Amino acid sequence: MQRFFGAVALCAICMWLCGAHICRAQQVDTLSSVRNLAEIEVVGDAVDIVLSSATPVQEVRSGDIERFGYTTAADALKRMAGVQVQDYGGIGGLKTVSVRGLGAKHTAVSYDGVAVSDAYSGQIDIGRYALDNVELLSLTVGQGNDIFRPARSFASAGLLEIKSRRPLATRTAAKVRGGSFGLLGAVLLRERIFGRHWSYSAHLNVQRADGDYPFTLVNGSQSSRQHRADGDTKSIAAEGNLFGSFGSRGNVQMKVAYYDSERGLPGSVRLYNKENSERLWDNNFYVQATGEVALSAKWRARAVAKYNYLFSRYKQVNKNYSAGYQADANTQNEYYASVGALYTPGGGFSFSLTSDLSFATVKNNFLAGREPQRINSQTVLAASYEKGSVTATASLLGTLLADDAGGSSKTDNKKRLSPAVSLAWQPFGNVPLRLRASYKDIFRTPTLADLYYQRMGNVELKPERATQYNVGATYGGSLGSRASVALSIDGYYNRVKDKIVALPTMYIWRMQNYGRVYVKGVDATLSVTCSPARNVELIADATYSYSHTVDKTNRNSKNYGHQIPYTPRHAANGSLTLNNKWINISYLVTFVGERYMLPQNITENRLPAYTEHTVSLNREFALRGNRLLRLQGELLNFTDKSYEIIGYYPMPGRQWRLTACITF
Amino acid sequence: MKKNLFLLFAFVAIAFVACSDSDDAPSFVPPASGVNMTELCQKDGVLYGFLSEYDANWNQTIVHSSYNTATGAVAKPWLADEVSSPYKLFAAGDYICITTSDYVNDGDVNLFTTDGRLLTSFTAGVGPRRGVVVGNDMYVLCEGLWGYNNAVLTKYNLNDHTVVRDCFMQQNGVGLGDTANDICVYGSKMYIAVSTDNIIWVTDKEARVIEKIETAAQPRYLASAGGKVYATYYNGNVARIDTTACAVEATVAVGRNPEQLCVADNKLFVANSGGLDYPNYDKTVSVIDIPSFTEVKKIEVAANPANILTGDNGFVYLVSLGNYADVPNTLQCINPYTFEVTNLTESK
């Protein structure tokens, strides 16, 4: 608590210091920012990567974030095809993302090109990533077209990339947000361009919420209206970025980030007992730097470095413990570096070799033995060919993983080669139809908690393997002069082997490699944009996913051949946006079919299908002195639908949110 | 040396029995050989239990053993490999029942004769823990999975073999709650302890609710004597429930995280596990004098005591679970008059 306010004060002072400096700079010359604009490297592809990628890519850009009023990465990911966001409800509730029935730990998250990692739990809470300063959010399934990236980006089945906005001009923005259930937040942003090549941005995001939303609890034939208690949350995130852009010669980016939060964990709703007292404190600090340089016309090199500090504390107050409570404290330190080179000899070929090395230590009062350490070395050799109508990539990732917790809990080093290939082909000349096919064999390593958690951990664990196959087609083009369309359809087949699960022995649970899951599915996306009149734009998006994700572990088990928990057969999203000069309106609808909360597909375990509707309105006002005011309002779940994504973790009903942002 | 010690214990015990002159005084006969079991249950003076052994990969092999407390005869294994993923063992009516569970899917109840013949089995719910026979019905309490509110009471008719899943819901229109732990029948009523919900349901023998007792802590196990029902609370207490008023009328402090309890010589014997304080488990059995409802003694036993019952010979039998790793299970016998503890497990 004290630390929280200490951090707020510290950041406020920092902001004030930068602000003072910036204001002075701003008075000097407003033209310089315009002139500097020309120096900024324009990031973006000639052809939309969503259509040209040899593996499925889905993107949400800042424009989408604004028109739908998304506040966290979880909001945006929920609307994507083939994606399951496991949401434990409320603003502070944990949100994890899993792709195509593979389990959350198969999706990596990278922030500005550097992977976010948690060697202890392997769990990344995507609800933490605010979108106020995000330019692009993209989700790639399998291995994407870009071969020149850190080896870690090759090391997962799915990759969520979050890119923060690069300053395009010197500006300051202040944003306040309020909403249902005690939501209050403020965002301060300062961006500045200085010199011919340099810019920086500083960003502060403070948020709090009570999270005490009403919900309906159904108990047999009775139903009652109740309030979710202990769902309060407060957080502060601060970030500073320094960008150097030297055109085709190279670029550098440095980031310092701090995050601190405290939240109540309301737990699952019980029918009779409302008592619950669990809290979680998270603290994260990291610095990262990436630099890329052109050595010659054919050679480029890149280096990445990161230091990451993670601390979390969990406390449960309960008289069952002789101390009156249980507290877990977990501290992690990670050092990470990556170096790579790209060789482009011509003829459409490129080759890259990248090597990553990381060293992580964990201190946790619930780990057996000494403090575990993990050394992970990943090297990837990749090639791509891109000419005319064909794009092809191939990569081979080598992983060497060494864990050590000292004493008797010694684990074997793990070595593995993971290949991936992909091909995209535009068969009919200028017709914007592309066919694609890809394959990737990948695994997720057991986390340090899987290996060493007291009593439960198992040092014998092997990695959990996932094999992915995808075939698909994309089409993108204009429909007459006033409209354009983009659509994609992909069919896939995934196999998961040696699944890492907690299995009960007689009295205690143990982590084991047990389980096999086969996934067959189809993801389809459609987007149409048209402008029926001057100053009027209509955008329609739709996605549909079919997923047959079944357990094939043990023929004698009662859930053999059953759809795995929390994986709907059918899910769909739709949205409609009308942009005009008076007010921009967006409507979003999400449908998730029935699911099961436990492995056995029986009535008792069924969670019903739900449909959620949201509407978002926004308008920009130009004020005097080049100031811009943007007002945005959302009404979420406006039909007040009662539903659950995770069993007995009710989601909020109707909620509103209002945001005002002033930019100058 | 250890074996000699064991024989010495056995000799002392026999000597004790031999010295007691009264005919109706309970007699203790040690097992013919060291015996080790968990999930203790008793039928006609014979104790039945699982013997679990873990290999290096934590795969579990379970054999079922029995120990005749009257003759000292030990049979091992009593059954082998007929039930996969065995979970709980209980005696109900004429049967020895072994339930199965993988904790997430529905488990079965297998009904055996006392000589180990599988008669029939039926599916009950997630985690079948304990069954009681009332007339022609066997009620099986299934704990459910923590956090899923899916504890159920399933009724199985022993004559026509019909199964009513969740008859509690059917009778009352509401669920049992989250993590049901124990059921007992006493007088004209049934008592069901639902741990995570802090509830003891009092029902009639058709499972219709008479009273919902909201307890001050998590109730774990139940026992009955002299018109009262007793419940262990996981926060270190034992509660006394008046069976007419259907309310908790008194509590008494015991050791850490008490599990099962039993009645012998007008005293309650409570197994204090200290299960939440790994690796510093409790290693005591609290003795509560029933008339004064006060703790009169803490008996030192093997670490992590959990299963406790009173044998037909009046002696108290206790299983301590050790630490699930290098400290193994131990079966011990407590003399309820002298509080002397005899180790019945052959030391390895």
Side-chain angles (χ1 to χ4, degrees):
Chain A
M1 181 77 179
Q2 257 182 344
R3 195 179 55 221
F4 180 84
F5 285 112
V8 174
L10 186 73
C11 290
I13 292 165
C14 290
M15 288 303 292
W16 177 76
L17 287 172
C18 319
H21 162 69
I22 292 147
C23 285
R24 241 179 299 118
Q26 206 182 10
Q27 287 162 358
V28 177
D29 171 7
T30 42
L31 269 182
S32 69
S33 61
V34 177
R35 194 179 63 229
N36 280 329
L37 205 60
E39 284 291 321
I40 303 295
E41 195 183 7
V42 177
V43 186
D45 297 287
V47 182
D48 192 350
I49 190 73
V50 173
L51 296 172
S52 66
S53 173
T55 55
V57 176
Q58 294 177 75
E59 285 186 349
V60 170
R61 294 186 166 271
S62 55
D64 305 318
I65 292 167
E66 287 191 339
R67 74 187 159 111
F68 297 129
Y70 296 150
T71 55
T72 72
D75 293 344
L77 283 158
K78 266 179 197 178
R79 320 283 177 182
M80 290 185 178
V83 173
Q84 283 303 306
V85 173
Q86 309 298 13
D87 187 337
Y88 289 77
I91 292 151
L94 173 71
K95 292 161 183 68
T96 61
V97 62
S98 61
V99 172
R100 292 182 166 181
L102 289 176
K105 287 164 192 164
H106 282 285
T107 300
V109 179
S110 111
Y111 191 49
D112 281 332
V114 184
V116 177
S117 66
D118 183 334
Y120 176 68
S121 75
Q123 188 165 266
I124 310 290
D125 182 3
I126 53 159
R128 211 191 101 175
Y129 292 92
L131 298 181
D132 297 293
N133 193 33
V134 165
E135 174 63 40
L136 171 71
L137 200 99
S138 81
L139 181 76
T140 307
V141 181
Q143 198 53 53
N145 283 13
D146 181 8
I147 61 164
F148 189 38
R149 51 171 68 200
R152 261 193 189 171
S153 312
F154 289 76
S156 58
L159 178 66
L160 169 66
E161 286 176 282
I162 304 170
K163 280 194 177 124
S164 58
R165 195 214 333 257
R166 309 192 75 170
L168 294 176
T170 293
R171 65 172 197 137
T172 304
K175 195 186 267 189
V176 285
R177 182 177 285 137
S180 303
F181 322 127
L183 172 71
L184 266 178
V187 181
L188 281 172
L189 170 73
R190 173 71 193 167
E191 292 177 339
R192 190 182 168 234
I193 305 223
F194 61 101
R196 282 175 58 82
H197 305 292
W198 296 92
S199 62
Y200 72 70
S201 67
H203 184 228
L204 176 74
N205 195 335
V206 188
Q207 186 175 284
R208 56 91 60 201
D210 299 321
D212 57 340
Y213 53 86
F215 67 97
T216 303
L217 174 66
V218 177
N219 176 7
S221 57
Q222 298 179 357
S223 80
S224 57
R225 203 69 178 146
Q226 307 204 350
H227 265 267
R228 199 81 169 113
D230 301 317
D232 63 296
T233 170
K234 57 189 172 189
S235 68
I236 176 167
E239 189 180 304
N241 291 293
L242 178 67
F243 300 91
S245 186
F246 306 92
S248 59
R249 284 176 293 145
N251 59 72
V252 291
Q253 183 180 347
M254 271 168 270
K255 186 193 290 289
V256 183
Y258 176 81
Y259 174 83
D260 190 76
S261 80
E262 176 184 344
R263 53 184 147 174
L265 302 175
S268 68
V269 171
R270 275 168 264 136
L271 299 181
Y272 307 104
N273 182 4
K274 310 297 169 224
E275 258 174 52
N276 195 63
S277 184
E278 290 171 275
R279 293 193 81 72
L280 182 69
W281 292 261
D282 277 302
N283 188 244
N284 179 205
F285 169 80
Y286 64 92
V287 277
Q288 67 185 44
T290 60
E292 194 180 318
V293 62
L295 301 170
S296 71
K298 289 179 178 173
W299 285 93
R300 290 180 83 78
R302 172 169 35 213
V304 176
K306 181 178 182 179
Y307 164 72
N308 191 27
Y309 165 83
L310 272 172
F311 172 79
S312 70
R313 191 160 77 92
Y314 163 88
K315 186 175 177 185
Q316 185 190 8
V317 176
N318 189 326
K319 291 219 161 63
N320 290 342
Y321 299 103
S322 45
Y325 65 89
Q326 188 196 327
D328 298 17
N330 181 48
T331 311
Q332 290 187 60
N333 281 286
E334 191 195 38
Y335 306 86
Y336 165 79
S338 168
V339 286
L342 177 73
Y343 174 58
T344 316
F349 286 98
S350 318
F351 301 92
S352 76
L353 180 68
T354 307
S355 198
D356 290 16
L357 189 69
S358 70
F359 173 66
T361 62
V362 175
K363 214 164 117 177
N364 185 302
N365 59 334
F366 276 81
L367 286 177
R370 279 193 295 141
E371 297 162 19
Q373 302 178 343
R374 166 168 285 184
I375 297 174
N376 194 356
S377 154
Q378 291 160 311
T379 301
V380 66
L381 180 64
S384 85
Y385 174 79
E386 195 166 352
K387 197 165 194 186
S389 61
V390 174
T391 305
T393 65
S395 63
L396 188 65
L397 171 73
T399 305
L400 176 65
L401 187 75
D403 295 320
D404 187 14
S408 58
S409 38
K410 179 90 182 118
T411 52
D412 291 336
N413 291 351
K414 292 167 188 76
K415 284 174 233 169
R416 202 172 277 271
L417 286 177
S418 312
V421 288
S422 67
L423 177 73
W425 179 40
Q426 190 172 354
F428 309 112
N430 286 331
V431 179
L433 171 73
R434 291 177 180 81
L435 305 177
R436 62 188 178 194
S438 59
Y439 158 83
K440 185 168 183 175
D441 183 65
I442 197 67
F443 62 93
R444 80 131 174 122
T445 52
T447 64
L448 293 174
D450 293 338
L451 294 167
Y452 301 119
Y453 197 85
Q454 71 176 17
R455 292 189 282 180
M456 241 184 122
N458 181 356
V459 294
E460 312 274 329
L461 286 177
K462 293 176 286 185
E464 172 180 320
R465 289 184 56 186
T467 313
Q468 302 167 278
Y469 300 90
N470 186 82
V471 288
T474 66
Y475 179 88
S478 51
L479 300 170
S481 60
R482 287 174 173 273
S484 67
V485 65
L487 64 92
S488 74
I489 181 157
D490 287 277
Y492 61 89
Y493 174 64
N494 297 336
R495 240 180 13 229
V496 182
K497 271 195 225 170
D498 294 333
K499 215 173 152 135
I500 298 171
V501 290
L503 279 183
T505 61
M506 183 86 120
Y507 293 101
I508 51 173
W509 294 63
R510 292 274 292 180
M511 302 308 298
Q512 295 185 38
N513 285 108
Y514 184 79
R516 209 175 253 271
V517 174
Y518 290 177
V519 192
K520 283 177 223 160
V522 175
D523 288 342
T525 66
L526 169 70
S527 177
V528 179
T529 306
C530 67
S531 37
R534 243 168 68 90
N535 291 330
V536 178
E537 186 186 35
L538 201 61
I539 309 166
D541 297 308
T543 69
Y544 167 76
S545 308
Y546 169 81
S547 167
H548 183 252
T549 306
V550 293
D551 182 281
K552 292 277 184 185
T553 308
N554 177 357
R555 222 166 260 284
N556 298 321
S557 172
K558 284 182 177 136
N559 66 311
Y560 183 79
H562 288 202
Q563 186 89 357
I564 66 168
Y566 299 124
T567 317
R569 281 279 158 94
H570 304 280
N573 289 284
S575 76
L576 205 58
T577 301
L578 177 67
N579 289 332
N580 56 68
K581 61 181 176 180
W582 301 283
I583 192 158
N584 302 326
I585 305 173
S586 284
Y587 161 73
L588 283 152
V589 59
T590 296
F591 167 81
V592 176
E594 68 171 34
R595 295 135 297 141
Y596 295 91
M597 53 183 178
L598 286 170
Q600 231 182 323
N601 292 180
I602 53 176
T603 326
E604 288 80 3
N605 296 339
R606 193 168 63 202
L607 283 176
Y610 66 85
T611 310
E612 196 252 25
H613 308 265
T614 287
V615 66
S616 171
L617 305 172
N618 70 71
R619 182 172 173 173
E620 271 182 3
F621 302 89
L623 306 179
R624 277 188 308 149
N626 265 345
R627 291 192 182 94
L628 206 62
L629 173 70
R630 185 185 156 84
L631 294 178
Q632 171 133 13
E634 292 107 44
L635 196 60
L636 296 98
N637 189 7
F638 64 77
T639 61
D640 206 19
K641 176 79 183 167
S642 290
Y643 69 101
E644 289 167 347
I645 293 176
I646 303 293
Y648 293 105
Y649 282 84
M651 297 294 290
R654 188 183 299 116
Q655 313 150 64
W656 60 269
R657 219 158 44 197
L658 277 177
T659 308
C661 179
I662 188 156
T663 311
F664 46 87
Chain B
M1 177 60 201
K2 292 236 169 127
K3 186 140 195 172
N4 288 343
L5 203 63
F6 172 75
L7 288 174
L8 183 70
F9 267 116
F11 175 76
V12 168
I14 290 165
F16 168 76
V17 170
C19 288
S20 64
D21 47 9
S22 166
D23 278 353
D24 53 352
S27 63
F28 168 68
V29 181
S33 59
V35 61
N36 188 10
M37 43 172 85
T38 66
E39 292 307 326
L40 220 48
C41 75
Q42 177 186 228
K43 177 150 183 60
D44 302 331
V46 181
L47 299 183
Y48 297 86
F50 293 157
L51 169 59
S52 338
E53 286 165 350
Y54 294 92
D55 63 23
N57 281 330
W58 283 79
N59 293 316
Q60 200 174 6
T61 41
I62 291 178
V63 289
H64 315 270
S65 53
S66 71
Y67 156 41
N68 189 320
T69 55
T71 67
V74 171
K76 185 173 98 172
W78 175 61
L79 291 165
D81 296 335
E82 288 189 37
V83 178
S84 65
S85 54
Y87 182 52
K88 295 284 171 186
L89 181 72
F90 59 84
D94 296 332
Y95 315 99
I96 302 293
C97 302
I98 298 176
T99 74
T100 65
S101 176
D102 63 4
Y103 288 77
V104 288
N105 292 338
D106 281 350
D108 299 334
V109 180
N110 299 282
L111 275 58
F112 288 89
T113 60
T114 50
D115 56 356
R117 214 154 28 86
L118 178 64
L119 292 173
T120 180
S121 64
F122 61 94
T123 298
V126 176
R129 279 189 82 84
R130 185 165 284 213
V132 289
V133 169
V134 176
N136 290 322
D137 293 316
M138 180 186 284
Y139 286 103
V140 174
L141 185 67
C142 303
E143 64 189 357
L145 184 63
W146 184 80
Y148 287 82
N149 300 304
N150 60 343
V152 294
L153 184 69
T154 292
K155 187 161 91 172
Y156 174 73
N157 189 296
L158 295 163
N159 291 338
D160 62 16
H161 308 295
T162 51
V163 177
V164 181
R165 190 196 164 102
D166 206 355
C167 69
F168 184 93
M169 172 74 84
Q170 208 171 61
Q171 291 283 30
N172 304 296
V174 293
L176 265 180
D178 196 59
T179 318
N181 213 65
D182 199 14
I183 180 169
C184 82
V185 183
Y186 189 54
S188 60
K189 300 185 183 105
M190 296 201 288
Y191 299 80
I192 301 168
V194 184
S195 273
T196 332
D197 267 312
N198 292 5
I199 282 178
I200 296 173
W201 295 102
V202 184
T203 73
D204 66 11
K205 288 187 173 175
E206 300 293 320
R208 283 181 294 245
V209 171
I210 296 167
E211 195 64 60
K212 180 174 109 179
I213 303 176
E214 294 182 7
T215 56
Q218 289 189 0
R220 294 288 281 189
Y221 286 92
L222 303 166
S224 55
K228 310 286 181 190
V229 167
Y230 298 92
T232 49
Y233 283 175
Y234 211 47
N235 69 351
N237 287 283
V238 170
R240 185 172 74 195
I241 295 161
D242 183 85
T243 52
T244 319
C246 293
V248 174
E249 54 179 20
T251 57
V252 60
V254 290
R256 290 176 280 145
N257 309 130
E259 295 280 7
Q260 293 182 351
L261 75 174
C262 67
V263 178
D265 189 36
N266 215 18
K267 293 185 277 275
L268 288 169
F269 289 79
V270 184
N272 299 316
S273 73
L276 289 183
D277 285 338
Y278 167 90
N280 177 29
Y281 291 110
D282 204 328
K283 45 171 85 174
T284 61
V285 165
S286 289
V287 182
I288 296 167
D289 174 59
I290 286 182
S292 63
F293 200 51
T294 49
E295 187 188 64
V296 291
K297 172 94 181 156
K298 266 202 175 92
I299 306 169
E300 183 142 328
V301 296
N304 197 3
N307 305 131
I308 195 165
L309 60 76
T310 308
D312 287 356
N313 60 3
F315 279 74
V316 172
Y317 292 89
L318 169 76
V319 171
S320 293
L321 297 175
N323 67 355
Y324 315 106
D326 56 326
V327 180
N329 301 336
T330 310
L331 177 68
Q332 293 179 311
C333 179
I334 300 171
N335 184 318
Y337 311 99
T338 63
F339 306 141
E340 184 189 9
V341 180
T342 310
N343 204 333
L344 308 181
T345 299
E346 210 166 333
S347 302
K348 281 184 182 169

